[in-house]
Amino acid sequence: MPHAEFDNQFNDVDYDALMQTVVSEMEAARKSQNQDFSPQHSATWENFTKASSDTRIAFARFLYERLISDIYPAEKLAQLPEDYDFREELFFSEVLKWNEPIPIDELIGWAYHIFKLHRDNEAAETDDNFVLCDVPFVRIFRIVNRQSKSHTPSEQSLSWLLDILYFAQDSDEDYFKRHQLDCGPEFDPVAERITTLLVASTGLREEELPFRGNLLGDWYLNRIDDFGPHLLNDLRSADRSTAPTCNRLIRHAASAKGSKPTKKFTAATGKLLEATGADQFAELLCRWLHLALKAKAKDADEPVFTEDNSNLIKGLVWMCSDLQDPATVNLIADLSVRAMKTQPGAGAASQAIANACLSYLAEAKGAVATTRLAQLTTAIKQKSMRKKIEDIVAAKAVEAGLTPLQLRERSLADFGLVEGSKTVPFADYSLRISVPGPGEVTQTWLKPDGTPQKSKPSAVTSDADLKTHYKMVKGDLDAMKKSLSAQRDLMDRLFAEELSWPLADIEQFYIHHGLVCVLTRKLIWDLKTGSTTTSAIYHEGTWQDVTGREVSTESGTTVRLWHPVDYDITDREAWQKRLEVLGIAQPFKQAHREVYTLTDAERETSVYSNRMAAHIVKQHQLSSLMAKRNWAYKLLGSFTYSDRSQFTTRDFSTSPLKAEFLMHADESTEDFLNDAGMFTYVATDQLRFFGTEGEPVPLEGVPARLFSETMRDADLFVGVASVGNDPAWYDQGPTPEAREYWDSFAFGDLDSFAETRKRTLESLLPRLKIGKVARVEGNFLHVQGKLNTYRIHLKSSNIQMDPGNRFLCIIKAPETKGSKVPLPFEGDTRLSVILSKAIMLAADDKITAPDIVSQLTQ
């Protein structure tokens, strides 16, 4: 039958009556024939489908007007019966299936106004029973997508499409994510159709469209980690003028592949830099890298960076190759440390990011990059990465015609300091900055008349230029702390090396260096002029010997670090007293440094030492200590039998010898494995040295400094990581043999570090308030409290108390008034812990911590 006949049938039809008739027929079919509730089971509807296109389009327009005027508005939805069947929506969807030639602009208008109503309902928190992926919305865009190939939408229509895409900026940022979850995968094709339409209709490339994360095919931005959501929020917050630039940069970064940038990637980066402008390019990249720097693991078993996001961040770092200002260099150096920070059971956060950062620093020119590389040798613990850093520094040194150490010396920034201080002007005010030592920076605000002011001047907060200037100064303060701490650790490792400097170099790069001088003027040096060697310290503008007399020098004088192994006990004690008189606290142990010389037992074993053998130590703590002291250590796991033992090693820059310390997995406790299958504890074995040919070297042939420092390292590992230091470990279920070891360590013989503590305490006690109730005797510091008498072991800091010879478990001593005592050197935290416990226990009647009080009164 021709369309006209059906058109006559539906002329002047009451569309409400038509829908009611069709619904009744659908309901009857469902009841009598068990059919699904669909218009296809209605004879009236079947006839209507044969009407002309104009008739069907007219019905579609009626349905659209009904939906946006009487159904979707929030106030109308609230008035509908709870069991309303939304028949208008059902028939509207069916009509759209016919793909009638409705003008593209009209269709886009329908989509936009339906979307706008839904958005308004969202803002009003209305339960409207309608979501964007419902069939009408999807089917509108099927038609739009097809028609856009031959019909270009108007500017108004394109503006509406952009409003749909940008909606997440102007509303709840979780909108798309929530409805993606509510609606399942059906909304993805809608978003893709919008994208396709805009690309086809405007000639824009996809990267110029609004960024919508996973919804628009941006699969590479993974939201599982902490970085992804923060970056996505940043991209969503971009205005329309900035968004295309952001999207182009992010998509380019995500295209990074392999271990280094390809020529194609580098060339594309150059074009983006030119198109974006240097300032905006740098601002965006650094802003996103700051997000990566701040990223944290959401949970212990979650990655800091997913593989996709690691790749994206790697690309961002590669794109910084032409940005070599100090701020960018420091940012990328900091990011390398963050990327190599380990997570329990998961390893480094992202070695791919760290490698990209090191590649950037290797190519970066100037002193800042070299200084940060030197700092990374102590900040990054993994041996393989440290070796890579050392190789980069060595290559830079060869290029400059210097040794690596000389390059570090000449590249170290002084930050404008003079003898550890400087004054920075802030309009009429000024800021006095002083660096007393590693990790310490003091700030003093000065009024226009030069007198101190307690708080920051209001002008520094209110004036934009001064505020920016202060932000830069604060960045320098942080860099000073990191630089000085790294230099301290580097110098502490130099005790094992046979190094000497011309006097002029020592004075220029160490003694008179604006920053490093706060370390080096507290150290003792050996000055050699001709055949005469004199120990001296630089004090009050001159070199002075142990008696305070000025030491004469010549242009040919050479200098090296003073080491106590080269001197007898009388010389060591003389320097200890001299430093005490001068009020100097050394940045690390030098005058009080532990000395290790060969024992008869070691002469008998000849090529190995058992002095540090048979100790049970906490493996992860041991690993951290070894990394800091430049030892190569790989965590032992239960995966294969070969993973149960290893020789840890240390190389030396001025000696071909290699030190090896044997470790075995310890399975003597109930908790010998952690959740990742790594051993909780390891047992120490023999220590030995090997030459270039791989043959063991007799201990008597090892240089005294190198031997002493190696044994000191081993003693440090045992002394700090031993389970005997843990007062709670005894009750964790170890075997009888393990308990016997704990007893022998926790209250047994003193090691060299404890002997140094003993001598230091004997010197300090007479000057302390607790001196009248405390004394050093044997292996203990004895303290007479009001309630009990206490014995604090000088090696483990574990405590026994009388009467009753009871064990007192204090995991961490609460800080009390006067518990901070000036020490003659920095770095021995165990000594500080012992003193804190002693001061607290001397006034045991004032202790309020319930877990301690309950033990004191048993």
Side-chain angles (χ1 to χ4, degrees):
M1 189 177 292
H3 287 302
E5 187 172 337
F6 285 97
D7 286 342
N8 292 333
Q9 180 180 342
F10 293 105
N11 277 343
D12 301 321
V13 68
D14 181 338
Y15 288 130
D16 284 312
L18 170 66
M19 288 190 290
Q20 182 58 50
T21 300
V22 174
V23 168
S24 297
E25 293 174 0
M26 290 161 53
E27 185 64 36
R30 182 167 64 179
K31 290 180 178 179
S32 63
Q33 304 174 31
N34 199 26
Q35 299 284 358
D36 59 339
F37 192 69
S38 170
Q40 296 170 359
H41 304 300
S42 162
T44 301
W45 183 256
E46 182 65 22
N47 287 335
F48 184 74
T49 62
K50 298 174 182 176
S52 69
S53 178
D54 289 344
T55 299
R56 291 184 294 189
I57 290 174
F59 184 45
R61 287 170 176 154
F62 163 81
L63 292 170
Y64 163 72
E65 292 294 339
R66 174 65 64 84
L67 285 170
I68 65 167
S69 61
D70 297 334
I71 304 298
Y72 289 155
E75 65 275 11
K76 299 293 185 180
L77 280 170
Q79 298 171 12
L80 294 175
E82 290 187 6
D83 60 349
Y84 188 69
D85 56 18
F86 286 87
R87 61 186 61 181
E88 292 86 355
E89 187 175 279
L90 173 66
F91 290 117
F92 189 53
S93 299
E94 287 295 318
V95 172
L96 291 173
K97 286 173 62 177
W98 299 334
N99 297 323
E100 298 296 342
I102 302 170
I104 188 170
D105 290 325
E106 184 176 6
L107 284 167
I108 293 173
W110 289 2
Y112 174 73
H113 288 100
I114 291 173
F115 166 79
K116 186 174 182 298
L117 282 170
H118 181 53
R119 179 179 64 185
D120 293 343
N121 291 346
E122 276 287 313
E125 299 183 350
T126 301
D127 184 13
D128 58 9
N129 297 314
F130 170 74
V131 289
L132 280 182
C133 76
D134 275 347
V135 176
F137 198 81
V138 174
R139 286 181 176 162
I140 286 173
F141 273 95
R142 284 180 180 166
I143 303 172
V144 167
N145 188 41
R146 184 174 61 255
Q147 289 198 25
S148 66
K149 297 175 182 177
S150 56
H151 297 82
T152 301
S154 67
E155 290 187 10
Q156 178 63 74
S157 295
L158 291 175
S159 175
W160 282 339
L161 289 173
L162 284 170
D163 280 344
I164 293 173
L165 284 182
Y166 270 103
F167 170 57
Q169 288 181 191
D170 307 319
S171 183
D172 175 9
E173 66 185 23
D174 289 327
Y175 174 88
F176 277 98
K177 183 177 181 181
R178 180 171 68 255
H179 285 287
Q180 186 182 20
L181 295 174
D182 287 347
C183 307
E186 291 228 20
F187 188 65
D188 287 345
V190 176
E192 289 173 6
R193 288 184 189 103
I194 296 174
T195 302
T196 302
L197 177 62
L198 284 168
V199 171
S201 301
T202 64
L204 296 174
R205 289 176 296 181
E206 185 175 348
E207 64 264 25
E208 297 178 282
L209 300 179
F211 189 88
R212 280 290 156 267
N214 293 342
L215 291 179
L216 296 186
D218 300 314
W219 56 269
Y220 49 80
L221 182 51
N222 194 308
R223 304 189 203 183
I224 294 176
D225 62 18
D226 185 52
F227 169 76
H230 283 97
L231 178 59
L232 185 58
N233 289 340
D234 183 272
L235 294 169
R236 283 176 170 173
S237 68
D239 58 38
R240 295 193 181 185
S241 63
T242 307
T245 297
C246 293
N247 297 338
R248 281 191 290 267
L249 296 180
I250 287 294
R251 282 178 167 84
H252 178 57
S255 71
K257 298 291 187 294
S259 59
K260 60 182 180 180
T262 62
K263 291 181 180 179
K264 181 180 178 182
F265 184 94
T266 303
T269 299
K271 291 179 181 178
L272 284 171
L273 173 58
E274 182 178 354
T276 305
D279 291 344
Q280 186 182 31
F281 186 84
E283 193 276 328
L284 290 172
L285 263 59
C286 290
R287 189 170 80 204
W288 297 330
L289 290 177
H290 270 292
L291 295 178
L293 181 62
K294 296 176 182 178
K296 300 177 181 178
K298 293 181 179 179
D299 297 299
D301 57 348
E302 293 288 341
V304 178
F305 304 107
T306 62
E307 184 177 352
D308 287 339
N309 289 346
S310 289
N311 195 63
L312 189 151
I313 296 166
K314 176 181 71 176
L316 292 174
V317 174
W318 286 355
M319 292 166 68
C320 290
S321 59
D322 288 332
L323 309 178
Q324 298 191 8
D325 57 285
T328 304
V329 171
N330 283 318
L331 170 60
I332 292 179
D334 290 341
L335 181 59
S336 70
V337 177
R338 178 66 193 92
M340 289 308 297
K341 186 175 181 180
T342 56
Q343 194 176 350
S350 173
Q351 189 153 337
I353 295 174
N355 283 330
C357 292
L358 292 186
S359 296
Y360 166 89
L361 293 171
E363 297 299 324
K365 307 298 182 184
V368 177
T370 305
T371 299
R372 292 311 309 270
L373 283 164
Q375 294 170 10
L376 294 181
T377 60
T378 57
I380 290 179
K381 309 304 180 185
Q382 292 83 347
K383 180 68 175 180
S384 60
M385 294 300 286
R386 288 170 69 158
K387 179 64 167 60
K388 183 175 291 188
I389 296 166
E390 289 169 358
D391 289 344
I392 293 171
V393 173
K396 285 180 175 285
V398 170
E399 185 179 345
L402 302 168
T403 67
L405 182 59
Q406 288 173 329
L407 181 65
R408 291 188 181 104
E409 294 166 352
R410 286 154 175 76
S411 303
L412 191 61
D414 62 12
F415 300 95
L417 298 168
V418 177
E419 296 187 347
S421 299
K422 72 174 179 178
T423 301
V424 182
F426 283 84
D428 294 333
Y429 294 83
S430 57
L431 178 62
R432 183 68 175 170
I433 298 171
S434 297
V435 185
E440 300 177 77
V441 177
T442 63
Q443 303 177 58
T444 305
W445 286 101
L446 303 176
K447 300 176 183 178
D449 62 4
T451 58
Q453 176 172 303
K454 289 185 178 179
S455 59
K456 180 170 42 175
S458 59
V460 177
T461 304
S462 58
D463 185 279
D465 291 339
L466 293 180
K467 191 174 182 179
T468 300
H469 184 38
Y470 182 59
K471 184 177 180 181
M472 294 176 61
V473 171
K474 286 181 66 177
D476 280 349
L477 299 183
D478 185 53
M480 289 176 198
K481 292 179 184 178
K482 292 178 179 177
S483 183
L484 197 58
S485 295
Q487 191 66 18
R488 174 202 58 198
D489 294 343
L490 173 63
M491 295 191 70
D492 191 34
R493 294 204 301 266
L494 293 181
F495 280 106
E497 309 290 352
E498 293 293 337
L499 285 168
S500 64
W501 295 260
L503 177 65
D505 284 0
I506 281 291
E507 291 187 338
Q508 179 180 354
F509 302 118
Y510 290 90
I511 300 301
H512 299 312
H513 188 278
L515 178 65
V516 179
C517 67
V518 303
L519 301 175
T520 56
R521 295 188 184 189
K522 297 175 182 178
L523 299 178
I524 311 164
W525 301 85
D526 282 338
L527 276 61
K528 185 177 182 182
T529 303
S531 59
T532 302
T533 299
T534 306
S535 301
I537 191 167
Y538 194 86
H539 184 65
E540 295 183 341
T542 63
W543 290 102
Q544 299 177 7
D545 67 13
V546 72
T547 67
R549 289 194 299 266
E550 184 175 348
V551 177
S552 60
T553 60
E554 299 175 357
S555 60
T557 299
T558 57
V559 186
R560 71 172 185 165
L561 275 171
W562 180 93
H563 196 297
V565 76
D566 300 326
Y567 296 88
D568 60 31
I569 189 63
T570 303
D571 294 324
R572 299 175 209 163
E573 290 177 346
W575 269 115
Q576 292 168 11
K577 291 177 181 177
R578 178 60 180 164
L579 293 173
E580 184 180 328
V581 169
L582 295 175
I584 291 176
Q586 295 193 290
F588 41 74
K589 289 182 184 177
Q590 186 187 28
H592 292 81
R593 200 173 189 84
E594 297 77 20
V595 172
Y596 300 79
T597 56
L598 276 177
T599 63
D600 291 338
E602 287 163 344
R603 290 188 179 88
E604 185 173 340
T605 55
S606 180
V607 294
Y608 65 88
S609 169
N610 280 327
R611 198 187 311 192
M612 305 301 170
H615 289 276
I616 302 174
V617 296
K618 296 180 179 180
Q619 180 177 209
H620 289 79
Q621 189 175 14
L622 172 71
S623 176
S624 296
L625 287 167
M626 285 193 154
K628 189 173 182 179
R629 299 298 300 173
N630 221 27
W631 285 73
Y633 182 81
K634 181 181 178 182
L635 289 172
L636 297 177
S638 60
F639 315 113
T640 65
Y641 185 79
S642 62
D643 289 325
R644 284 166 163 75
S645 294
Q646 71 165 304
F647 274 103
T648 65
T649 61
R650 178 182 176 181
D651 296 318
F652 305 92
S653 61
T654 58
S655 172
L657 297 181
K658 175 184 289 188
E660 294 190 349
F661 194 8
L662 182 57
M663 301 287 168
H664 305 287
D666 183 85
E667 303 179 45
S668 64
T669 63
E670 293 181 358
D671 61 339
F672 68 91
L673 286 178
N674 66 13
D675 293 340
M678 310 306 291
F679 287 102
T680 308
Y681 311 105
V682 293
T684 62
D685 204 328
Q686 61 181 239
L687 189 151
R688 58 189 183 179
F689 296 86
F690 279 79
T692 54
E693 301 299 324
E695 74 288 354
V697 175
L699 300 181
E700 289 189 278
V702 178
R705 287 193 179 202
L706 193 151
F707 178 84
S708 183
E709 287 300 304
T710 304
M711 296 302 293
R712 183 177 184 270
D713 279 354
D715 202 359
L716 173 71
F717 303 150
V718 170
V720 173
S722 171
V723 296
N725 293 317
D726 185 350
W729 188 80
Y730 185 87
D731 295 325
Q732 292 178 359
T735 62
E737 293 80 9
R739 287 194 185 95
E740 182 180 348
Y741 167 74
W742 186 90
D743 284 328
S744 68
F745 187 97
F747 298 109
D749 294 338
L750 303 185
D751 58 16
S752 296
F753 285 88
E755 291 287 357
T756 300
R757 287 184 206 117
K758 181 177 181 178
R759 291 191 295 270
T760 303
L761 282 170
E762 288 171 339
S763 173
L764 284 175
L765 280 179
R767 305 196 299 272
L768 300 181
K769 187 176 179 180
I770 63 169
K772 295 180 180 179
V773 295
R775 71 183 192 281
V776 176
E777 185 177 314
N779 297 336
F780 297 87
L781 173 60
H782 295 253
V783 180
Q784 180 61 58
K786 297 292 194 303
L787 305 177
N788 301 289
T789 300
Y790 307 92
R791 299 188 303 278
I792 307 174
H793 193 252
L794 298 177
K795 179 166 69 172
S796 67
S797 77
N798 287 322
I799 307 169
Q800 291 174 317
M801 57 184 175
D802 291 320
N805 194 29
R806 293 166 290 155
F807 176 67
L808 175 60
C809 180
I810 300 178
I811 303 300
K812 186 178 187 298
E815 192 170 293
T816 59
K817 186 176 180 180
S819 63
K820 291 186 176 180
V821 177
L823 301 177
F825 48 79
E826 299 177 22
D828 191 345
T829 55
R830 185 66 47 79
L831 177 55
S832 299
V833 168
I834 290 171
L835 281 168
S836 295
K837 289 181 177 180
I839 292 169
M840 178 187 67
L841 294 173
D844 55 3
D845 58 331
K846 301 292 195 303
I847 296 174
T848 58
D851 59 324
I852 300 177
V853 171
S854 63
Q855 299 178 74
L856 299 180
T857 56
Q858 286 179 352

